[in-house]
Short mmCIF file of all heavy atoms in Angstrom, two decimals:
data_model
loop_
_atom_site.label_atom_id
_atom_site.label_comp_id
_atom_site.label_asym_id
_atom_site.label_seq_id
_atom_site.Cartn_x
_atom_site.Cartn_y
_atom_site.Cartn_z
N LEU B 225 99.11 146.51 62.85
CA LEU B 225 99.16 145.49 63.96
C LEU B 225 98.54 144.26 63.38
O LEU B 225 97.51 144.20 62.87
CB LEU B 225 98.22 145.95 65.25
CG LEU B 225 98.88 147.02 66.00
CD1 LEU B 225 97.60 147.75 66.81
CD2 LEU B 225 99.72 146.36 67.05
N PHE B 226 99.24 143.17 63.60
CA PHE B 226 98.76 141.91 63.17
C PHE B 226 98.46 141.10 64.42
O PHE B 226 99.38 140.75 65.23
CB PHE B 226 99.80 141.24 62.25
CG PHE B 226 99.36 139.86 61.78
CD1 PHE B 226 98.42 139.92 60.77
CD2 PHE B 226 99.83 138.71 62.35
CE1 PHE B 226 97.94 138.61 60.22
CE2 PHE B 226 99.32 137.49 61.69
CZ PHE B 226 98.51 137.45 60.68
N PHE B 227 97.21 140.78 64.72
CA PHE B 227 96.81 140.02 65.89
C PHE B 227 96.59 138.50 65.43
O PHE B 227 95.95 138.24 64.41
CB PHE B 227 95.50 140.59 66.45
CG PHE B 227 95.61 141.90 67.06
CD1 PHE B 227 95.07 143.02 66.44
CD2 PHE B 227 96.23 142.17 68.33
CE1 PHE B 227 95.23 144.42 66.99
CE2 PHE B 227 96.34 143.37 68.85
CZ PHE B 227 95.82 144.48 68.23
N HIS B 228 97.17 137.68 66.21
CA HIS B 228 96.83 136.21 65.93
C HIS B 228 96.86 135.38 67.26
O HIS B 228 97.04 135.98 68.32
CB HIS B 228 97.94 135.66 64.99
CG HIS B 228 99.28 135.60 65.53
ND1 HIS B 228 99.86 134.35 65.81
CD2 HIS B 228 100.13 136.45 66.05
CE1 HIS B 228 100.96 134.46 66.39
NE2 HIS B 228 101.24 135.83 66.35
N ALA B 229 96.66 134.12 67.12
CA ALA B 229 96.65 133.36 68.36
C ALA B 229 97.50 132.14 68.23
O ALA B 229 97.26 131.14 68.91
CB ALA B 229 95.23 132.95 68.65
N GLY B 230 98.49 132.24 67.34
CA GLY B 230 99.53 131.10 67.26
C GLY B 230 99.12 129.85 66.41
O GLY B 230 99.88 129.00 66.34
N CYS B 231 97.96 130.00 65.77
CA CYS B 231 97.49 128.85 64.93
C CYS B 231 98.67 128.41 64.11
O CYS B 231 99.11 129.21 63.15
CB CYS B 231 96.28 129.25 64.04
SG CYS B 231 96.19 128.39 62.46
N PRO B 232 99.17 127.22 64.25
CA PRO B 232 100.39 126.85 63.48
C PRO B 232 100.18 126.65 62.15
O PRO B 232 101.08 126.89 61.21
CB PRO B 232 100.82 125.49 64.11
CG PRO B 232 99.63 125.04 64.87
CD PRO B 232 98.76 126.21 65.22
N VAL B 233 99.00 126.14 61.64
CA VAL B 233 98.87 125.99 60.35
C VAL B 233 98.79 127.29 59.45
O VAL B 233 99.24 127.42 58.38
CB VAL B 233 97.30 125.49 60.07
CG1 VAL B 233 96.99 125.08 58.64
CG2 VAL B 233 97.13 124.08 60.88
N CYS B 234 98.55 128.41 60.17
CA CYS B 234 98.41 129.74 59.50
C CYS B 234 99.61 130.44 59.51
O CYS B 234 99.76 131.40 58.72
CB CYS B 234 97.32 130.52 60.12
SG CYS B 234 95.76 129.66 60.33
N VAL B 235 100.62 130.12 60.40
CA VAL B 235 101.78 130.98 60.51
C VAL B 235 102.53 131.32 59.22
O VAL B 235 102.78 132.41 58.98
CB VAL B 235 102.72 130.51 61.68
CG1 VAL B 235 104.06 131.26 61.59
CG2 VAL B 235 102.06 130.66 63.04
N ALA B 236 102.79 130.21 58.33
CA ALA B 236 103.43 130.55 57.21
C ALA B 236 102.76 131.46 56.26
O ALA B 236 103.33 132.43 55.83
CB ALA B 236 103.70 129.19 56.62
N ALA B 237 101.48 131.27 56.20
CA ALA B 237 100.67 132.06 55.27
C ALA B 237 100.62 133.52 55.76
O ALA B 237 100.73 134.46 55.09
CB ALA B 237 99.31 131.49 55.17
N GLU B 238 100.50 133.63 57.11
CA GLU B 238 100.37 134.97 57.67
C GLU B 238 101.66 135.74 57.53
O GLU B 238 101.63 136.83 57.35
CB GLU B 238 100.06 134.89 59.14
CG GLU B 238 98.49 134.40 59.35
CD GLU B 238 98.28 133.84 60.70
OE1 GLU B 238 99.19 134.08 61.65
OE2 GLU B 238 97.34 133.23 60.99
N GLN B 239 102.81 134.94 57.66
CA GLN B 239 104.03 135.68 57.38
C GLN B 239 104.18 136.19 56.00
O GLN B 239 104.68 137.38 55.85
CB GLN B 239 105.20 134.68 57.74
CG GLN B 239 105.38 134.43 59.27
CD GLN B 239 105.83 135.82 60.05
OE1 GLN B 239 106.75 136.49 59.51
NE2 GLN B 239 105.14 135.89 61.19
N GLN B 240 103.69 135.45 55.13
CA GLN B 240 103.76 135.89 53.64
C GLN B 240 102.90 137.14 53.61
O GLN B 240 103.27 138.13 52.85
CB GLN B 240 103.19 134.79 52.79
CG GLN B 240 103.34 135.26 51.33
CD GLN B 240 102.75 134.10 50.42
OE1 GLN B 240 101.75 133.32 50.92
NE2 GLN B 240 103.16 134.02 49.22
N PHE B 241 101.73 137.11 54.27
CA PHE B 241 100.81 138.24 54.10
C PHE B 241 101.50 139.51 54.68
O PHE B 241 101.37 140.56 54.06
CB PHE B 241 99.56 137.82 54.84
CG PHE B 241 98.52 138.75 54.53
CD1 PHE B 241 97.67 138.51 53.39
CD2 PHE B 241 98.02 139.79 55.50
CE1 PHE B 241 96.63 139.38 53.12
CE2 PHE B 241 96.97 140.58 55.05
CZ PHE B 241 96.28 140.33 53.94
N ILE B 242 102.07 139.36 55.84
CA ILE B 242 102.69 140.55 56.53
C ILE B 242 103.80 141.09 55.60
O ILE B 242 103.92 142.24 55.41
CB ILE B 242 103.26 140.15 57.82
CG1 ILE B 242 102.17 139.83 58.82
CG2 ILE B 242 104.03 141.30 58.36
CD1 ILE B 242 102.60 139.17 60.12
N HIS B 243 104.66 140.15 54.99
CA HIS B 243 105.70 140.61 54.25
C HIS B 243 105.21 141.20 52.93
O HIS B 243 106.04 141.92 52.18
CB HIS B 243 106.64 139.50 54.04
CG HIS B 243 107.44 139.10 55.16
ND1 HIS B 243 107.61 137.83 55.61
CD2 HIS B 243 107.96 139.86 56.16
CE1 HIS B 243 108.35 137.95 56.73
NE2 HIS B 243 108.50 139.06 57.13
N ALA B 244 104.00 141.05 52.51
CA ALA B 244 103.51 141.66 51.27
C ALA B 244 103.18 143.14 51.47
O ALA B 244 103.08 143.87 50.52
CB ALA B 244 102.08 140.91 50.89
N LEU B 245 103.02 143.66 52.77
CA LEU B 245 102.81 144.97 53.03
C LEU B 245 104.00 145.80 52.69
O LEU B 245 105.20 145.41 52.75
CB LEU B 245 102.50 145.20 54.57
CG LEU B 245 101.18 144.53 55.07
CD1 LEU B 245 100.98 144.82 56.42
CD2 LEU B 245 99.94 145.09 54.22
N ASP B 246 103.72 147.06 52.30
CA ASP B 246 104.72 148.10 51.91
C ASP B 246 105.66 148.40 53.03
O ASP B 246 105.26 149.12 53.97
CB ASP B 246 104.10 149.26 51.26
CG ASP B 246 105.10 150.27 50.62
OD1 ASP B 246 106.36 150.13 50.96
OD2 ASP B 246 104.61 151.15 49.90
N PRO B 247 106.86 147.92 53.06
CA PRO B 247 107.83 148.33 54.29
C PRO B 247 108.00 149.80 54.38
O PRO B 247 108.55 150.25 55.54
CB PRO B 247 108.96 147.53 54.00
CG PRO B 247 109.09 147.28 52.55
CD PRO B 247 107.65 147.16 52.06
N GLU B 248 107.86 150.52 53.32
CA GLU B 248 108.05 151.96 53.38
C GLU B 248 106.84 152.78 54.05
O GLU B 248 106.96 153.86 54.47
CB GLU B 248 108.44 152.52 52.07
CG GLU B 248 109.58 151.92 51.43
CD GLU B 248 110.35 152.77 50.36
OE1 GLU B 248 109.73 153.74 49.94
OE2 GLU B 248 111.41 152.26 49.99
N LYS B 249 105.78 152.06 54.09
CA LYS B 249 104.58 152.60 54.78
C LYS B 249 104.40 152.12 56.04
O LYS B 249 103.83 152.87 56.85
CB LYS B 249 103.30 152.35 53.73
CG LYS B 249 103.22 153.25 52.51
CD LYS B 249 101.85 152.99 51.97
CE LYS B 249 101.62 153.52 50.66
NZ LYS B 249 100.60 152.86 49.86
N TYR B 250 104.54 150.88 56.26
CA TYR B 250 104.08 150.24 57.58
C TYR B 250 105.06 149.57 58.31
O TYR B 250 106.03 148.81 57.85
CB TYR B 250 102.95 149.26 57.27
CG TYR B 250 101.76 149.93 56.66
CD1 TYR B 250 101.51 149.81 55.21
CD2 TYR B 250 100.91 150.68 57.38
CE1 TYR B 250 100.57 150.58 54.62
CE2 TYR B 250 99.88 151.32 56.76
CZ TYR B 250 99.59 151.19 55.45
OH TYR B 250 98.52 151.93 54.83
N ALA B 251 105.14 149.86 59.65
CA ALA B 251 105.93 149.06 60.55
C ALA B 251 104.88 148.07 61.21
O ALA B 251 103.89 148.59 61.90
CB ALA B 251 106.41 149.95 61.70
N VAL B 252 105.01 146.83 61.05
CA VAL B 252 104.15 145.93 61.54
C VAL B 252 104.45 145.25 62.82
O VAL B 252 105.53 144.79 63.01
CB VAL B 252 103.84 144.65 60.51
CG1 VAL B 252 102.80 143.78 60.92
CG2 VAL B 252 103.58 145.29 59.05
N GLU B 253 103.63 145.43 63.77
CA GLU B 253 103.85 144.67 65.05
C GLU B 253 102.78 143.43 65.22
O GLU B 253 101.69 143.53 64.70
CB GLU B 253 103.36 145.68 66.27
CG GLU B 253 103.81 145.09 67.56
CD GLU B 253 103.22 145.77 68.82
OE1 GLU B 253 102.48 146.76 68.54
OE2 GLU B 253 103.40 145.28 69.85
N VAL B 254 103.53 142.26 65.39
CA VAL B 254 102.75 141.13 65.54
C VAL B 254 102.33 140.87 67.08
O VAL B 254 103.19 140.83 67.88
CB VAL B 254 103.63 140.00 64.86
CG1 VAL B 254 102.90 138.59 65.11
CG2 VAL B 254 103.89 140.27 63.50
N VAL B 255 101.11 140.65 67.35
CA VAL B 255 100.72 140.39 68.63
C VAL B 255 100.03 139.01 68.75
O VAL B 255 99.13 138.71 68.04
CB VAL B 255 99.72 141.45 69.06
CG1 VAL B 255 99.26 141.17 70.44
CG2 VAL B 255 100.35 142.82 68.91
N HIS B 256 100.65 138.17 69.58
CA HIS B 256 100.07 136.77 69.77
C HIS B 256 99.06 136.92 71.03
O HIS B 256 99.58 137.11 72.22
CB HIS B 256 101.31 135.91 70.20
CG HIS B 256 100.89 134.41 70.32
ND1 HIS B 256 99.71 133.96 70.97
CD2 HIS B 256 101.41 133.30 69.77
CE1 HIS B 256 99.66 132.66 70.83
NE2 HIS B 256 100.64 132.20 70.16
N LEU B 257 97.86 137.04 70.79
CA LEU B 257 96.90 137.18 71.73
C LEU B 257 96.77 136.04 72.77
O LEU B 257 96.30 136.29 73.92
CB LEU B 257 95.46 137.66 71.19
CG LEU B 257 95.45 138.84 70.54
CD1 LEU B 257 94.05 139.03 69.93
CD2 LEU B 257 95.75 140.03 71.45
N GLY B 258 97.05 134.80 72.30
CA GLY B 258 97.15 133.72 73.36
C GLY B 258 98.17 133.87 74.36
O GLY B 258 97.90 133.44 75.58
N GLU B 259 99.25 134.59 74.09
CA GLU B 259 100.36 134.83 75.01
C GLU B 259 100.17 136.16 75.78
O GLU B 259 100.70 136.49 76.82
CB GLU B 259 101.63 134.71 74.41
CG GLU B 259 102.00 133.23 73.87
CD GLU B 259 103.38 133.31 72.99
OE1 GLU B 259 103.90 134.24 72.66
OE2 GLU B 259 103.68 132.06 72.55
N GLN B 260 99.60 137.03 74.98
CA GLN B 260 99.45 138.44 75.52
C GLN B 260 97.99 138.74 75.68
O GLN B 260 97.37 139.64 74.97
CB GLN B 260 100.05 139.46 74.59
CG GLN B 260 101.60 139.25 74.43
CD GLN B 260 102.21 140.23 73.48
OE1 GLN B 260 102.31 141.51 73.79
NE2 GLN B 260 102.72 139.87 72.37
N LYS B 261 97.38 138.24 76.59
CA LYS B 261 95.92 138.24 76.78
C LYS B 261 95.48 139.67 77.20
O LYS B 261 94.35 140.09 77.10
CB LYS B 261 95.34 137.33 77.84
CG LYS B 261 95.31 135.83 77.24
CD LYS B 261 94.83 134.91 78.30
CE LYS B 261 95.00 133.49 77.91
NZ LYS B 261 93.90 132.98 77.05
N ASP B 262 96.42 140.48 77.82
CA ASP B 262 96.26 141.92 78.26
C ASP B 262 95.97 142.69 77.04
O ASP B 262 95.49 143.87 77.18
CB ASP B 262 97.36 142.40 79.09
CG ASP B 262 98.62 142.24 78.39
OD1 ASP B 262 98.97 141.20 77.79
OD2 ASP B 262 99.45 143.29 78.40
N ARG B 263 96.39 142.22 75.85
CA ARG B 263 96.17 143.12 74.64
C ARG B 263 94.82 142.87 73.92
O ARG B 263 94.59 143.37 72.83
CB ARG B 263 97.45 142.87 73.68
CG ARG B 263 98.62 143.29 74.51
CD ARG B 263 99.70 143.89 73.76
NE ARG B 263 99.45 144.91 72.72
CZ ARG B 263 100.34 145.14 71.84
NH1 ARG B 263 101.64 144.74 71.82
NH2 ARG B 263 100.20 146.08 70.91
N ILE B 264 94.14 141.87 74.42
CA ILE B 264 92.83 141.57 73.76
C ILE B 264 91.92 142.87 73.82
O ILE B 264 91.17 143.10 72.79
CB ILE B 264 92.09 140.23 74.42
CG1 ILE B 264 92.94 139.04 74.24
CG2 ILE B 264 90.61 140.27 73.97
CD1 ILE B 264 92.27 137.81 74.88
N VAL B 265 92.02 143.48 74.83
CA VAL B 265 91.31 144.75 75.12
C VAL B 265 91.64 145.75 73.99
O VAL B 265 90.71 146.44 73.28
CB VAL B 265 91.55 145.41 76.50
CG1 VAL B 265 90.79 146.85 76.48
CG2 VAL B 265 90.92 144.62 77.56
N GLN B 266 92.89 145.87 73.64
CA GLN B 266 93.35 146.77 72.53
C GLN B 266 92.78 146.30 71.22
O GLN B 266 92.20 147.15 70.43
CB GLN B 266 94.82 146.79 72.47
CG GLN B 266 95.39 147.64 71.31
CD GLN B 266 96.84 147.45 71.11
OE1 GLN B 266 97.42 146.47 71.33
NE2 GLN B 266 97.47 148.45 70.46
N ALA B 267 92.79 144.93 71.01
CA ALA B 267 92.25 144.40 69.73
C ALA B 267 90.73 144.77 69.59
O ALA B 267 90.24 145.11 68.57
CB ALA B 267 92.52 143.01 69.68
N GLU B 268 90.04 144.63 70.68
CA GLU B 268 88.64 144.82 70.68
C GLU B 268 88.30 146.26 70.44
O GLU B 268 87.38 146.60 69.70
CB GLU B 268 88.00 144.45 71.96
CG GLU B 268 87.89 142.95 72.19
CD GLU B 268 87.36 142.49 73.52
OE1 GLU B 268 87.63 143.22 74.57
OE2 GLU B 268 86.66 141.51 73.59
N ARG B 269 89.12 147.22 70.95
CA ARG B 269 88.98 148.51 70.67
C ARG B 269 88.99 148.96 69.21
O ARG B 269 88.42 149.80 68.76
CB ARG B 269 90.03 149.42 71.45
CG ARG B 269 89.42 150.64 72.07
CD ARG B 269 90.33 151.24 73.12
NE ARG B 269 91.33 150.24 73.51
CZ ARG B 269 92.43 150.47 74.38
NH1 ARG B 269 92.69 151.65 74.82
NH2 ARG B 269 93.27 149.62 74.67
N TYR B 270 89.88 148.24 68.43
CA TYR B 270 89.94 148.44 67.08
C TYR B 270 88.93 147.77 66.27
O TYR B 270 88.81 147.94 65.09
CB TYR B 270 91.26 147.89 66.53
CG TYR B 270 92.57 148.70 66.94
CD1 TYR B 270 93.63 148.18 67.62
CD2 TYR B 270 92.64 149.99 66.38
CE1 TYR B 270 94.76 148.97 67.72
CE2 TYR B 270 93.65 150.81 66.60
CZ TYR B 270 94.76 150.31 67.31
OH TYR B 270 95.91 151.08 67.44
N GLY B 271 88.00 147.03 66.94
CA GLY B 271 86.90 146.33 66.30
C GLY B 271 87.26 144.93 65.83
O GLY B 271 86.53 144.35 65.11
N VAL B 272 88.31 144.42 66.36
CA VAL B 272 88.76 143.08 65.83
C VAL B 272 87.86 142.08 66.61
O VAL B 272 87.66 142.07 67.73
CB VAL B 272 90.25 142.82 66.39
CG1 VAL B 272 90.59 141.29 66.19
CG2 VAL B 272 91.24 143.58 65.58
N LYS B 273 87.33 141.24 65.75
CA LYS B 273 86.30 140.21 66.29
C LYS B 273 86.86 138.78 66.28
O LYS B 273 86.37 137.84 67.02
CB LYS B 273 84.98 140.14 65.38
CG LYS B 273 84.39 141.48 65.17
CD LYS B 273 83.52 141.77 66.45
CE LYS B 273 82.63 143.14 66.17
NZ LYS B 273 82.65 144.02 67.34
N SER B 274 87.75 138.45 65.34
CA SER B 274 88.52 137.22 65.44
C SER B 274 89.90 137.35 64.88
O SER B 274 90.38 138.42 64.46
CB SER B 274 87.66 136.38 64.32
OG SER B 274 87.79 136.83 63.02
N VAL B 275 90.70 136.36 65.05
CA VAL B 275 92.04 136.43 64.58
C VAL B 275 92.28 135.20 63.58
O VAL B 275 91.47 134.19 63.67
CB VAL B 275 92.97 136.18 65.78
CG1 VAL B 275 93.09 137.48 66.50
CG2 VAL B 275 92.71 134.91 66.53
N PRO B 276 93.16 135.31 62.68
CA PRO B 276 94.12 136.51 62.56
C PRO B 276 93.38 137.74 61.89
O PRO B 276 92.40 137.62 61.18
CB PRO B 276 95.09 135.92 61.39
CG PRO B 276 94.32 134.81 60.72
CD PRO B 276 93.49 134.22 61.76
N ALA B 277 93.87 138.92 62.30
CA ALA B 277 93.29 140.15 61.91
C ALA B 277 94.46 141.21 61.75
O ALA B 277 95.36 141.17 62.51
CB ALA B 277 92.28 140.74 62.88
N LEU B 278 94.37 141.99 60.75
CA LEU B 278 95.42 142.99 60.54
C LEU B 278 94.73 144.37 60.69
O LEU B 278 93.66 144.55 60.16
CB LEU B 278 95.87 142.86 59.14
CG LEU B 278 96.98 143.88 58.67
CD1 LEU B 278 98.27 143.53 59.33
CD2 LEU B 278 97.18 143.75 57.08
N VAL B 279 95.20 145.13 61.40
CA VAL B 279 94.69 146.54 61.72
C VAL B 279 95.68 147.54 61.05
O VAL B 279 96.92 147.59 61.32
CB VAL B 279 94.58 146.86 63.14
CG1 VAL B 279 94.19 148.28 63.42
CG2 VAL B 279 93.68 145.90 63.88
N ILE B 280 95.09 148.20 60.02
CA ILE B 280 95.83 149.22 59.32
C ILE B 280 95.40 150.55 59.52
O ILE B 280 94.03 150.74 59.25
CB ILE B 280 95.79 148.87 57.74
CG1 ILE B 280 96.38 147.46 57.50
CG2 ILE B 280 96.57 149.91 56.92
CD1 ILE B 280 96.30 147.09 55.90
N GLU B 281 96.11 151.40 60.11
CA GLU B 281 95.70 152.72 60.37
C GLU B 281 94.37 152.69 61.12
O GLU B 281 93.48 153.57 60.75
CB GLU B 281 95.57 153.64 59.13
CG GLU B 281 97.08 153.75 58.49
CD GLU B 281 96.98 154.53 57.20
OE1 GLU B 281 96.26 155.51 57.11
OE2 GLU B 281 97.76 154.07 56.30
N GLY B 282 94.24 151.85 62.05
CA GLY B 282 92.96 151.81 62.82
C GLY B 282 91.87 151.05 62.35
O GLY B 282 90.83 150.89 62.90
N GLN B 283 92.00 150.56 61.10
CA GLN B 283 90.87 149.87 60.40
C GLN B 283 91.09 148.30 60.46
O GLN B 283 92.22 147.85 60.03
CB GLN B 283 90.82 150.32 59.08
CG GLN B 283 90.06 149.48 57.91
CD GLN B 283 88.65 150.23 57.84
OE1 GLN B 283 88.55 151.33 57.78
NE2 GLN B 283 87.60 149.29 57.78
#
Side-chain angles (χ1 to χ4, degrees):
Chain B
L225 282 158
F226 185 75
F227 293 106
H228 72 111
C231 156
V233 183
C234 309
V235 165
E238 291 164 14
Q239 286 297 319
Q240 181 182 31
F241 196 79
I242 294 169
H243 289 136
L245 296 178
D246 188 344
E248 303 206 348
K249 278 192 193 152
Y250 297 101
V252 184
E253 185 190 1
V254 176
V255 180
H256 187 318
L257 289 179
E259 292 171 356
Q260 300 180 65
K261 285 178 189 280
D262 55 315
R263 302 206 46 192
I264 293 178
V265 172
Q266 181 194 19
E268 286 178 326
R269 217 165 347 170
Y270 282 122
V272 171
K273 305 281 187 224
S274 63
V275 287
L278 182 70
V279 175
I280 299 176
E281 295 173 43
Q283 169 96 38

